[in-house]
């Protein structure tokens, strides 16, 4: 591993770690059952076991945040997973193929899919199959494929002109073998960075979808839906909007910083948005 | 006309150029030779006030009656492009890719008071003067439509536009093809007023300049008329340099200077060349002064 | 150059056509027959068949698609199966609202990003520049609807200065129209502004390193003058290419912001359509949105080629 520890890596890693911790911990324990409607505690102020208070159904905000972290990570992992698994081979193919028309075609289709933003895809999918976490994941995943394909292709093109690739080709190795054994490991660092950035975008998309009612269905907690529910009570109980909002912002910030930090760490020469002079 | 005294250039604690002193008379062509890392470019940049961020210059430099070093930017920038101008090494990136050539040449004139109309007309003259064919067409073209040699001529035209007293050229032909180099050098020799010509190429400097300064490790180690310095070098570094650049008979080894140039800040104290000099003695732990008129050198054990 | 334009235009048309097919095919997957849904559970088969004939949903899919696409080209988006209202006018009414929302958001973003990004680049070594950089990091982590809610809280709840939602057409009351759009514009603009600031900063930093800036200074310009005259125009090119992408993102952001502020735009129409299972309406709106994105990309691409003489 080249490069050195940097602030982005540390802070980003810490924030992401926090989210992961909350999600994992939620499997074992939460202060209260976040799905339990408890009229006795409705709109309870913070205190006495309800660390951050309760919402209009009496559900504990803190517990909701913890379980909501699960959804956030779920969607991110599956979406980025789909995007990476589909986008990477496409990008590598486009970058390696000697057939210019194939490369051109793949990139044109890519651009077309790019024109369908995640939200739109999710709305359409939701209209057909009913809204929910699964449709959100698939929609966001498919919408993120173009980003991965582009990065994979650009990275592949860079790698293809390096001497050892040329040597491998001169030695007669088959393209497929070269792709797997030489290209993939070397574009890996760029893909990891993209994965982190796409994760952040996926979180934003899921939050927006949940906010609109197209994401995770009740009663499963979701940060985006918590925000939507908080809107009507904004005048009286603003804290209901504060916590999920903060959670979303910190999670996204964490993944963004992590992505930047990884970029600096894995290949300092790659810095596209330069952080210093 | 140009007088430089004890010029020192620092980047933080590291001294990149130390106690450099020299002068250039009106119309004189002086060469500044040295390897990469010798500080020659920085010397030139400090005269122009174009040192990069974090690099500072101390000492004295005067062009006629104006101070160049130690003055705030606002007071020096009206000299640039007018009394003092520079041609850089890399022609491919020196011009703004989004502006037409004519506009870029005219800019240096309008910046110093000429009217747009005058500047435009004079641009065409200048482009002709640097021997560019079809000046009108060139003026309307964009940089990417010109070759490296053509772009460098444009840079020369810009540098000469306001009839400067001193033209500084920093490796102007290094990035060009050999055939183009020759034409460029002839052109420079023809049109330049006083000239400070920086290069690492001994043959090039010999063809253009009358006097030469040899720099190593941030110091001037030898100076004098070209003919003399090149035929009877006094400083051991100059001697080594010349020996390495001569064609040797078949079968013999190319003479080289032992060791390699230390990185900035790691030059030895005292005589800056002593860790590579076969004639070094403990006396060389003291910095030698530049001695001699006309042909000067800074060495405790000079040749000849 | 003209060849490039023609090629790009051809790609645009082809992409739009493919998108139309994709959208139609997608919506055709919607379970449930519009006629059955309209008539309810107790409808007789004959009534359903009759309605299907009226709707045109008894024909082959290809025929339906061609009919729909043909209508689109003439500006006819068909009539809703659910509300029996023509779709075209609904879309055109709301298109203007969404367009104003998006353009206003973009304006806010630019006004914020250009000076801040330039400043951050010029001062990238000192704390102020770093602070702007950090702030922009935070800005991009906040989704537009969160920004909206925050702004509503500050300006509507606390300060009681601006409305928390609702929209007033400009014809009715220009003053109220402006007030109803200020917070939505800010919600979109602040977030996009943060994203753009980072791009502007990066572009200006790149330009600051260019040799031609040094040439400009050698001509006699000061640092600021050189940057102003040579740097900014050159830096604007990469920023313009990003603007297109941002406009598309803004369009989608507008969909959500319309929900937050209850603004009757295309996004609102789309969401209502999905909720009401109004297939044809959703088809129409999605088509308009996708076509808009494709068109924006096309315009930006051509613009970029026009601005950079090296590409002409």
């Amino acid at each position: 591993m080249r490069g050195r520890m940097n602030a982005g890596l540390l802070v980003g890693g810490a924030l992401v770690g926090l989210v992961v911790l909350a999600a994992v911990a939620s499997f074992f324990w939460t202060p209260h059952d976040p799905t339990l409607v408890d009229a006795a505690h409705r709109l309870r102020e913070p205190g006495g076991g309800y660390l951050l208070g309760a919402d209009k159904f009496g559900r504990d905000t803190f517990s909701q945040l913890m379980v909501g972290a699960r959804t956030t990570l779920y969607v991110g992992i599956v979406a980025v997973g789909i995007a990476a698994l589909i986008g990477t081979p496409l990008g590598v193919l486009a970058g390696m193929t000697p057939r210019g028309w194939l490369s051109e075609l793949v990139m044109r289709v890519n651009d077309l899919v790019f024109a369908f933003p995640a939200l739109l895809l999710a709305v359409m999918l939701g209209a057909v199959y009913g809204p929910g976490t699964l449709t959100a994941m698939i929609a966001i995943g498919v919408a993120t494929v173009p980003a991965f394909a582009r990065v994979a292709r650009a990275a592949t093109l860079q790698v293809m002109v390096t001497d050892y690739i040329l040597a491998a080709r001169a030695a007669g190795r088959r393209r497929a073998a070269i792709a797997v054994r030489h290209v993939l490991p070397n574009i890996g660092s760029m893909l990891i960075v993209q994965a982190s950035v796409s994760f952040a975008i996926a979180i934003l998309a899921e939050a927006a979808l949940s906010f609109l009612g197209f994401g995770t269905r009740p009663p499963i907690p979701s940060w985006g839906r918590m925000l939507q529910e908080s809107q009507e009570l904004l005048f009286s109980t603003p804290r209901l909007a504060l916590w999920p909002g903060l959670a979303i912002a910190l999670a996204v910030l964490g993944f963004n910083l992590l992505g930047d930090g990884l970029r600096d760490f894995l290949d300092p020469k790659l810095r596209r948005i330069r952080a210093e002079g | 006309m140009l007088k430089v005294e004890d010029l020192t250039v620092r980047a933080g604690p590291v001294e990149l150029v130390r106690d450099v002193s020299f002068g250039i008379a009106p119309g004189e062509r002086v060469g500044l030779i040295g390897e990469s890392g010798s500080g020659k470019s920085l010397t030139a940049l400090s005269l122009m006030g174009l040192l990069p961020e974090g690099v500072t210059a101390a000492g004295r430099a005067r062009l006629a009656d104006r101070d160049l070093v130690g003055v705030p930017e606002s007071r020096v920038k009206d000299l640039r492009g007018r009394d003092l101008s520079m041609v850089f090494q890399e022609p491919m990136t020196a011009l703004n890719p989004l502006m037409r050539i004519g506009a870029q040449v005219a800019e240096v004139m309008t910046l110093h008071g000429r009217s747009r109309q005058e500047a435009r007309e004079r641009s065409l003259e200048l482009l002709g003067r640097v021997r560019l064919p079809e000046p009108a067409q060139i003026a309307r073209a964009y940089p990417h439509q010109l070759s490296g040699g053509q772009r460098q001529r444009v840079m020369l035209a810009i540098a000469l536009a306001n009839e400067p007293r001193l033209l500084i050229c920093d490796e102007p032909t290094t990035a060009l093809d050999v055939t183009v180099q020759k034409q460029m050098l002839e052109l420079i020799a023809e049109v330049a007023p006083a000239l400070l010509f920086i290069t690492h190429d001994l043959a090039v400097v010999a063809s253009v300049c009358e006097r030469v300064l040899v720099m190593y490790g941030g110091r001037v180690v030898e100076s004098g008329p070209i003919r003399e310095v090149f035929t009877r070098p006094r400083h051991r570094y100059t001697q080594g340099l010349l020996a390495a650049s001569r064609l040797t008979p078949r079968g013999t080894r190319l003479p080289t200077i032992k060791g390699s140039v230390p990185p900035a800040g790691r030059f030895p104290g005292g005589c800056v060349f002593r860790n590579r000099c076969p004639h070094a003695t403990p006396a060389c732990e003291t910095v030698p002064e530049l001695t001699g008129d006309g042909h000067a050198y800074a060495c405790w054990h000079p040749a000849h | 150059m003209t060849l490039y334009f023609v090629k790009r235009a051809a790609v645009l048309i082809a992409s739009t056509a493919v998108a139309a097919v994709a959208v139609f095919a997608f919506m055709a997957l919607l379970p449930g027959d519009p006629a059955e849904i309209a008539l309810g559970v107790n409808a007789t088969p004959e009534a359903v068949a009759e309605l299907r004939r009226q709707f045109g949903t008894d024909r082959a899919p290809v025929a339906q698609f061609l009919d729909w696409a043909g209508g689109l080209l003439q500006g006819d988006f068909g009539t809703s199966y659910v509300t029996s209202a023509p779709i075209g006018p609904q879309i055109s009414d709301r298109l203007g609202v969404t367009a104003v929302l998006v353009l206003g958001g973009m304006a806010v973003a630019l006004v914020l990003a250009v000076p801040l990004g330039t400043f951050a680049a010029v001062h990238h070594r000192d704390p102020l520049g770093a602070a702007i950089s950090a702030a922009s990091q935070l800005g991009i982590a906040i989704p537009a609807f969160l920004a909206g809610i925050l702004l509503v809280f500050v300006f509507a709840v606390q300060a009681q200065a601006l409305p928390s939602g609702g929209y007033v057409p400009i014809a009715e009351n220009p003053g109220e129209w402006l007030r109803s759009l200020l917070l939505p514009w800010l919600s979109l603009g602040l977030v996009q502004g943060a994203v753009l600031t980072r791009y502007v900063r990066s572009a200006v930093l790149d330009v600051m390193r260019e040799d031609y800036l040094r040439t400009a200074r050698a001509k006699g310009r000061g640092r600021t003058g050189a940057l102003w005259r040579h740097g900014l125009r050159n830096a604007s090119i990469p920023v313009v290419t990003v603007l297109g992408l941002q406009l598309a993102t803004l369009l989608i952001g507008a969909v959500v912001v319309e929900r937050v502020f209850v603004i009757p735009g295309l996004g609102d129409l789309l969401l209502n359509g999905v909720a009401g299972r109004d297939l044809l309406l959703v088809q129409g709106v999605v088509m308009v949105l996708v076509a808009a994105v494709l068109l924006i990309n096309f315009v930006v691409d051509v613009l970029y080629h026009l601005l950079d003489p090296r590409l002409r």
Side-chain angles (χ1 to χ4, degrees):
Chain A
M1 285 287 176
R2 318 144 247 189
R4 47 181 185 93
M5 255 315 164
N6 59 73
L9 212 49
L10 283 174
V11 178
L15 287 172
V16 170
L18 208 62
V19 176
V20 172
L21 192 65
V24 168
S26 77
F27 283 108
F28 299 104
W29 171 83
T30 60
H32 301 265
D33 180 352
T35 64
L36 190 63
V37 173
D38 188 354
H41 293 283
R42 70 183 300 269
L43 293 178
R44 195 201 157 94
E45 287 299 305
Y50 287 80
L51 198 63
L52 302 171
D55 68 358
K56 72 177 183 205
F57 292 117
R59 299 177 295 195
D60 174 34
T61 303
F62 189 69
S63 307
Q64 283 189 304
L65 282 185
M66 284 181 75
V67 180
R70 273 193 234 166
T71 315
T72 304
L73 289 178
Y74 252 165
V75 174
I77 292 174
V78 174
V80 171
I82 292 176
L85 283 173
I86 300 181
T88 309
L90 277 178
V92 173
L93 172 68
M96 284 187 74
T97 179
R99 304 191 191 97
W101 60 265
L102 188 57
S103 177
E104 199 45 40
L105 182 66
V106 169
M107 294 326 281
R108 286 285 156 233
V109 171
N110 211 41
D111 287 343
L112 191 60
V113 177
F114 230 171
F116 282 82
L119 221 67
L120 218 52
L121 275 177
V123 165
M124 283 164 62
L125 256 182
V128 174
Y129 294 106
T133 317
L134 187 62
T135 54
M137 285 194 250
I138 295 178
I140 300 174
V142 169
T144 315
V145 165
F148 268 89
R150 276 211 189 148
V151 171
R153 175 175 175 266
T156 304
L157 286 175
Q158 273 188 26
V159 163
M160 285 300 280
V161 296
T162 53
D163 287 338
Y164 64 87
I165 291 283
L166 291 174
R169 289 175 60 191
R173 308 222 49 193
R174 302 193 52 217
R175 288 201 113 82
I178 296 179
V180 171
R181 304 201 47 181
H182 295 286
V183 176
L184 276 183
N186 282 286
I187 64 176
S189 53
M190 286 215 206
L191 291 178
I192 291 179
V193 173
Q194 180 63 35
S196 193
V197 171
S198 289
F199 209 109
I201 296 176
I203 297 179
L204 282 172
E206 191 277 328
L209 283 173
S210 297
F211 181 81
L212 293 175
F214 278 87
T216 314
R217 311 248 71 212
I220 302 176
S222 146
W223 293 345
R225 212 179 61 245
M226 285 169 77
L227 257 182
Q228 185 260 323
E229 286 165 3
S230 77
Q231 227 195 329
E232 58 181 354
L233 291 166
L234 198 58
F235 281 78
S236 57
T237 329
R239 65 168 166 81
L240 287 175
L242 170 66
W243 297 112
L246 200 61
I248 295 173
L250 287 179
V252 173
L253 185 67
F255 276 97
N256 274 333
L257 286 178
L258 188 64
D260 279 353
L262 278 172
R263 182 184 287 143
D264 281 351
F265 182 80
L266 289 172
D267 196 340
K269 294 189 302 263
L270 266 189
R271 271 176 283 150
R272 253 166 286 159
I273 294 189
R274 269 167 260 220
E276 78 257 0
Chain B
M1 179 199 58
L2 173 73
K3 195 149 171 50
V4 178
E5 278 170 35
D6 302 318
L7 180 66
T8 302
V9 178
R10 275 191 194 84
V14 179
E15 283 185 342
L16 301 166
V17 171
R18 289 183 274 197
D19 302 325
V20 165
S21 305
F22 63 94
I24 302 183
E28 200 183 8
R29 277 89 185 284
V30 176
L32 183 54
I33 53 175
E35 300 168 80
S36 335
S38 56
K40 49 195 204 300
S41 287
L42 284 173
T43 306
L45 288 175
S46 58
L47 293 178
M48 291 281 285
L50 290 178
L51 288 171
E53 272 183 66
V55 182
T56 52
R60 275 188 318 283
R62 290 178 72 92
L63 180 67
D65 54 348
R66 298 286 299 267
D67 276 307
L68 298 174
V69 171
V71 246
E73 164 90 348
S74 50
R75 289 218 275 150
V76 132
K77 69 175 177 172
D78 66 304
L79 284 177
R80 293 202 296 253
R82 196 187 64 191
D83 299 294
L84 179 65
S85 59
M86 191 159 172
V87 175
F88 300 97
Q89 176 173 345
E90 196 41 75
M92 300 306 273
T93 50
L95 292 167
N96 187 334
L98 298 190
M99 272 175 77
R100 295 184 202 267
I101 299 287
Q104 298 196 49
V105 178
E107 184 188 8
V108 72
M109 290 181 270
T110 55
L111 220 58
H112 292 279
R114 281 199 223 233
S115 75
R116 303 261 295 262
Q117 180 66 3
E118 239 194 294
R120 230 175 323 173
E121 285 164 7
R122 198 160 147 69
S123 304
L124 294 174
E125 267 177 52
L126 285 162
L127 290 173
R129 196 159 148 224
V130 294
R131 302 204 205 122
L132 281 167
E134 312 258 12
Q137 257 190 27
I138 300 259
R140 275 202 322 271
Y142 285 96
H144 68 277
Q145 295 169 294
L146 268 57
S147 70
Q150 288 173 321
R151 287 189 227 191
Q152 199 64 311
R153 286 168 197 269
V154 171
M155 294 301 292
L156 192 57
I158 292 175
L160 296 171
N162 292 317
E163 321 225 309
R165 295 196 227 210
L166 175 65
L167 173 67
I168 305 178
C169 290
D170 188 357
E171 310 256 23
T173 55
T174 309
L176 302 176
D177 292 334
V178 174
T179 45
V180 177
Q181 264 193 38
K182 185 163 177 301
Q183 294 169 4
M184 192 69 191
L185 289 173
E186 281 170 5
L187 181 60
I188 292 178
E190 183 191 308
V191 301
L195 176 67
L196 177 63
F197 194 103
I198 302 171
T199 181
H200 61 275
D201 190 331
L202 299 174
V204 163
V205 80
S207 68
V208 178
C209 303
E210 306 145 358
R211 205 154 57 86
V212 71
L213 304 164
V214 181
M215 270 185 87
Y216 179 82
R219 292 184 189 272
V220 173
V221 296
E222 186 158 2
S223 70
I226 279 230
R227 208 164 280 282
E228 262 198 57
V229 172
F230 279 18
T231 49
R232 288 181 357 117
R234 304 306 297 273
H235 196 279
R236 295 299 178 174
Y237 171 67
T238 321
Q239 197 184 33
L241 209 57
L242 284 162
S245 69
R246 268 189 208 108
L247 290 175
T248 51
R250 275 185 79 184
T252 58
R253 298 190 67 197
L254 189 69
T256 53
I257 303 177
K258 175 184 72 128
S260 57
V261 181
R266 304 271 200 85
F267 286 94
C271 173
V272 77
F273 185 58
R274 68 184 169 100
N275 64 335
R276 301 173 69 191
C277 183
H279 304 267
T281 67
C284 301
E285 281 164 33
T286 326
V287 178
E289 291 290 316
L290 206 59
T291 50
D293 307 311
H295 186 168
Y297 52 88
C299 181
W300 295 120
H301 310 288
H304 309 294
Chain C
M1 178 62 204
T2 334
L3 184 62
Y4 182 79
F5 181 84
V6 168
K7 258 180 67 179
R8 252 347 235 106
V11 169
L12 173 67
I13 294 172
S15 304
T16 317
V18 172
V21 172
V23 172
F24 181 87
F26 208 87
M27 300 314 289
L29 289 173
L30 196 78
D33 184 303
E36 282 179 8
I37 295 174
L39 290 177
V41 179
N42 293 319
T44 62
E46 296 83 20
V48 171
E50 171 61 26
L51 196 55
R52 290 186 74 201
R53 209 178 48 74
Q54 278 186 17
F55 280 165
T57 52
D58 56 342
R59 296 169 300 159
V62 179
Q64 289 187 46
F65 169 72
L66 289 173
D67 209 43
W68 177 67
L72 281 186
L73 289 172
Q74 296 169 43
D76 177 13
F77 283 79
T79 314
S80 162
Y81 299 145
V82 174
T83 64
S84 301
I87 296 175
Q90 290 183 58
I91 290 184
S92 59
D93 276 347
R94 290 161 172 258
L95 185 58
V97 177
T98 302
V100 165
L101 190 58
V102 169
L103 289 172
M106 183 47 103
V108 170
L110 278 174
V111 162
L112 231 91
V114 171
L116 277 181
T118 312
F119 188 85
V122 172
H123 292 263
H124 69 272
R125 279 177 206 253
D126 62 59
L128 204 49
I132 294 181
S133 214
S136 70
Q137 269 284 20
L138 193 58
I140 66 181
I142 299 180
F145 62 93
L146 179 57
I149 293 179
L150 281 173
L151 285 169
V152 166
F153 180 66
V154 169
F155 288 97
V157 176
Q158 300 285 70
Q160 307 256 337
L162 290 167
S164 66
Y167 173 78
V168 176
I170 187 169
E172 235 177 77
N173 184 338
E176 281 305 310
W177 172 79
L178 199 63
R179 287 188 76 216
S180 67
L181 281 175
L182 270 179
L183 287 184
W185 278 339
L186 275 178
S187 314
L188 285 173
L190 282 176
V191 172
Q192 283 308 314
V195 176
L196 266 178
T197 302
R198 290 164 67 73
Y199 279 108
V200 170
R201 177 179 178 275
S202 167
V204 174
L205 265 180
D206 279 346
V207 159
M208 275 168 63
R209 290 192 182 92
E210 292 284 359
D211 280 348
Y212 53 81
L213 274 200
R214 185 178 56 172
T215 307
R217 293 193 58 211
K219 290 180 188 173
R221 286 199 187 269
R223 281 208 160 88
T224 331
L227 193 63
W228 194 251
R229 181 72 185 80
H230 291 266
L232 289 186
R233 188 162 33 145
N234 296 51
S236 64
I237 291 188
V239 173
V240 161
T241 53
V242 158
L243 273 185
L245 204 69
Q246 294 309 304
L247 218 53
T249 316
L250 266 178
L251 202 57
I252 297 311
V255 168
V256 189
V257 164
E258 282 173 19
R259 225 340 116 86
V260 176
F261 290 96
V262 192
I263 293 180
L266 276 183
D268 191 54
L269 187 63
L270 176 66
L271 294 171
N272 291 342
V274 174
R277 292 301 188 92
D278 199 339
L279 148 73
L280 212 52
L281 178 66
V282 173
Q283 233 171 266
V285 177
V286 169
M287 200 54 225
V288 168
L289 288 174
V290 172
V293 172
L294 287 171
L295 188 65
I296 291 171
N297 285 341
F298 169 75
V299 168
V300 166
D301 209 20
V302 171
L303 206 66
Y304 172 59
H305 273 71
L306 278 176
L307 282 178
D308 191 338
R310 287 170 290 190
L311 298 172
R312 283 192 230 153

